[in-house]
Amino acid sequence: MKITSTLNGPNMLETDESLTLKTESGEQPLKSPCYLCRCGHSKNKPLCDGSHMAAKFEAQASEIVGTKKA
Ligand code: FES
């Protein structure tokens, strides 16, 4: 699994495993990569809806990479 905080944008989650978004209203399968809001302005949280651009969100890029234990 890899999480990339994109420059001035969302967190991008990439994985080979299946993803399911679970909320109070149910479950929804997600495809990799999926984009998670980190600006707080999305109207579709926890997913990014592009609102960070209108909000002129600024944040550095970074990356977290997970490895499976053998
Ligand atoms: S990061 Fe895209 S809407 Fe928040």
Side-chain angles (χ1 to χ4, degrees), residues 10-35:
N11 291 321
M12 179 176 66
L13 171 62
E14 298 173 280
T15 181
D16 293 335
E17 299 177 24
S18 62
L19 296 170
T20 303
L21 172 62
K22 295 181 179 181
T23 65
E24 292 175 354
S25 55
E27 296 185 4
Q28 171 187 346
L30 297 176
K31 292 182 179 175
S32 178
C34 74
Y35 297 88

Side-chain angles (χ1 to χ4, degrees), residues 22-56:
K22 295 181 179 181
T23 65
E24 292 175 354
S25 55
E27 296 185 4
Q28 171 187 346
L30 297 176
K31 292 182 179 175
S32 178
C34 74
Y35 297 88
L36 303 173
C37 177
R38 68 173 175 144
C39 74
H41 293 279
S42 175
K43 292 175 180 51
N44 190 30
K45 293 183 187 84
L47 304 176
C48 171
D49 69 355
S51 295
H52 59 273
M53 292 183 276
K56 300 188 185 315

